[in-house]
């Protein structure tokens, strides 16, 4: 271990279209280097796996070099290597896993193959103090939307209280953005455009909010259809589509349900803390409404800054550092890349 006694961890993230290399010492962020292939996918309206894999291969070494430069350390200084082992695109994951294994082997350091989704939550530790009590974690990304009960953020124990039964929240944002003619990925564009709209303009449906419905499950595909029908009806009638109002009303339907269920989960489980992570946690209205509702409910709310909510390598290093610090058994060097890694498997 290093002089400061906190593990110096190198993290690799390549699950989708961001090549992220992070370096942390304990809970201190030293480097967060990112290369993205998003522009290469934009014209296809979604991430093209083959293109993403090749882009990771090309970006890997320059991004690693940049991270070491930013952190002002040499490769030999690190104590451990962490890598996203899943979930994600198989070919994309393979590039990061192979690179991380090579580093671990060459440097003779332990390897930690971690869950991307847990890393989205653990990254909060780089900005805020550890939470003393169990927390509810709301994980909202492009492929997942789940409510989790975590005895400790960055720990290996997790209970999934509920998840989406169809589209993830980010997926819904991306699909609605496409419908409205906005670029991919659509989340940030809807976020921006919604600021000029009236979020009460259109009453879009909120799924699973009845007394008999599953308390912690989500569904966004009915909302997606409702928005599409509404827009089509306007177009058929030859009327202009008020894009800002549609974006604001759609967004309100999403964040209303996400925050209401997260607060309910905390209350039901007697938990005083809520952590929100994943790309959609960068959303300004989600952050605002979560803050309002947590304050009202007497909950402590933690959301990492927007730049750490979307995919990055720092989150992987942050989770790796927690695992090292709490004595987790490192992964074998023959671990696979697991594209459908379950959310509750924090470490392979
Ligand atoms: O966590 P992430 O970067 O990648 C995955 O693990 O999926 O999440 C990406 C998702 C995309 O669907 C993107 O549209 C959404 O996060 N997103 C947002 C915002 N920024 C990114 N959604 C709403 N508002 C945002 N500001
Ligand atoms: Zn992600």
């Amino acid at each position: 271990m290093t002089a400061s006694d906190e593990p110096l961890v190198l993290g690799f993230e390549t699950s989708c279209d961001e090549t992220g290399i992070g370096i942390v010492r304990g809970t201190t962020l030293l480097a967060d280097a990112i290369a993205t292939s998003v522009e290469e996918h934009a014209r296809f309206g979604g991430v093209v796996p083959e293109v993403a894999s090749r882009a990771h291969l090309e970006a890997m070494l320059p991004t690693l070099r940049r991270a070491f430069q930013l952190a002002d350390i040499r490769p030999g200084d690190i104590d451990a290597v962490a890598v996203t082992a899943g979930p994600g695109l198989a070919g994309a994951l393979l590039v990061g896993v192979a690179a991380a294994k090579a580093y671990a082997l060459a440097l003779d350091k332990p390897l930690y193959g971690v869950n991307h989704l847990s890393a989205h939550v653990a990254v909060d530790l780089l900005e805020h103090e550890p939470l003393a009590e169990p927390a509810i974690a709301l994980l909202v990304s492009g492929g997942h939307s789940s409510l989790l009960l975590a005895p400790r953020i960055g720990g290996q124990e997790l209970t999934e209280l509920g998840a989406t039964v169809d589209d993830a929240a980010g997926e819904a944002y991306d699909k609605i953005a496409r419908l409205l003619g906005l670029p991919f990925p659509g989340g940030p564009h809807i976020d921006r455009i919604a600021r000029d709209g009236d979020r009460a303009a259109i009453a879009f449906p909120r799924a699973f909010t009845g007394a008999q419905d599953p308390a912690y499950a989500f569904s966004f595909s009915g909302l997606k259809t409702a928005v599409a029908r509404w827009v089509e009806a306007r177009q058929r009638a030859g009327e202009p589509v008020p894009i800002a109002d549609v974006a604001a009303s759609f967004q309100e339907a999403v964040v209303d349900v996400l925050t209401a269920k997260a607060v309910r989960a905390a209350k039901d489980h007697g938990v005083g803390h809520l952590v929100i992570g994943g790309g959609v946690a960068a959303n300004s209205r989600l952050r605002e409404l979560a803050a309002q509702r947590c304050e009202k409910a007497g909950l402590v709310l933690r959301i990492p800054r927007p730049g750490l909510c979307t995919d990055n390598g720092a989150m992987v290093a942050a989770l790796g550092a927690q695992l090292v610090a709490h004595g987790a058994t490192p992964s074998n060097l023959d671990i696979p890349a697991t594209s459908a890694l379950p959310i509750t498997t924090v470490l392979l």
Side-chain angles (χ1 to χ4, degrees):
M1 209 145 290
T2 50
S4 78
D5 228 29
E6 285 200 294
L8 184 60
V9 179
L10 173 66
F12 291 74
E13 158 59 39
T14 65
S15 69
C16 194
D17 56 346
E18 257 91 39
T19 311
I21 303 293
I23 300 175
V24 309
R25 191 189 293 282
T27 55
T28 305
L29 177 60
L30 301 183
D32 181 18
I34 296 182
T36 178
S37 60
V38 68
E39 279 173 15
E40 294 176 56
H41 309 288
R43 69 193 167 100
F44 299 106
V47 176
V48 183
E50 172 81 10
V51 173
S53 308
R54 286 172 186 274
H56 285 310
L57 203 55
E58 283 166 21
M60 182 54 71
L61 284 181
T63 313
L64 265 161
R65 287 201 191 101
R66 198 144 43 86
F68 282 118
Q69 249 168 25
L70 284 168
D72 197 18
I73 61 159
R74 284 166 309 165
D77 296 336
I78 61 158
D79 298 308
V81 177
V83 60
T84 295
L89 303 170
L93 289 167
L94 282 174
V95 178
V97 169
K101 285 181 180 182
Y103 261 74
L105 191 66
L107 300 170
D108 194 22
K109 301 294 179 189
L111 176 74
Y112 294 81
V114 305
N115 189 308
H116 177 84
L117 306 171
S118 282
H120 265 308
V121 177
V123 72
D124 185 68
L125 295 168
L126 299 180
E127 288 207 293
H128 300 112
E129 292 292 301
L131 293 171
E133 292 175 55
I136 294 292
L138 171 64
L139 185 277
V140 273
S141 70
H144 293 81
S145 296
S146 295
L147 271 168
L148 306 160
L149 177 61
R152 182 171 58 80
I153 296 301
Q156 285 193 69
E157 266 175 72
L158 273 183
T159 307
E160 188 173 49
L161 302 174
T164 181
V165 299
D166 40 54
D167 291 353
E171 198 179 345
Y173 266 95
D174 295 339
K175 287 176 176 169
I176 294 304
R178 194 170 183 176
L179 180 86
L180 297 177
L182 301 169
F184 172 84
H189 296 283
I190 292 200
D191 193 350
R192 179 173 43 82
I193 283 173
R195 282 177 206 149
D196 298 326
D198 175 3
R199 52 183 179 251
I202 311 152
F204 286 130
R206 273 94 164 134
F208 291 162
T209 49
Q212 305 303 317
D213 291 330
Y216 312 126
F218 304 106
S219 166
F220 297 111
S221 98
L223 170 61
K224 181 186 64 192
T225 309
V227 177
R229 290 224 175 101
W230 195 92
V231 169
E232 277 160 23
R234 292 291 289 230
Q235 286 167 335
R236 260 201 313 276
E239 292 169 29
V241 177
I243 290 184
D245 285 350
V246 174
S249 300
F250 156 76
Q251 174 164 277
E252 197 64 12
V254 174
V255 304
D256 178 20
V257 175
L258 290 175
T259 52
K261 290 195 178 230
V263 168
R264 161 126 190 235
K267 279 188 182 161
D268 288 354
H269 291 83
V271 168
H273 301 103
L274 172 64
V275 183
I276 309 184
V280 181
N283 184 264
S284 60
R285 179 62 185 151
L286 173 62
R287 301 171 79 93
E288 182 182 59
L289 192 60
Q292 283 168 10
R293 288 186 170 170
C294 283
E295 195 186 344
K296 201 161 160 225
L299 299 174
V300 175
L301 173 66
R302 296 284 171 84
I303 316 180
R305 70 179 132 90
L308 289 178
C309 289
T310 44
D311 289 350
N312 63 80
M315 67 190 206
V316 179
L319 177 54
Q322 289 303 302
L323 294 167
V324 174
H326 287 85
T329 307
S331 307
N332 288 322
L333 274 183
D334 62 358
I335 53 162
T338 309
S339 46
L341 189 66
I343 198 164
T344 46
T345 305
V346 174
L347 172 64
L348 267 192

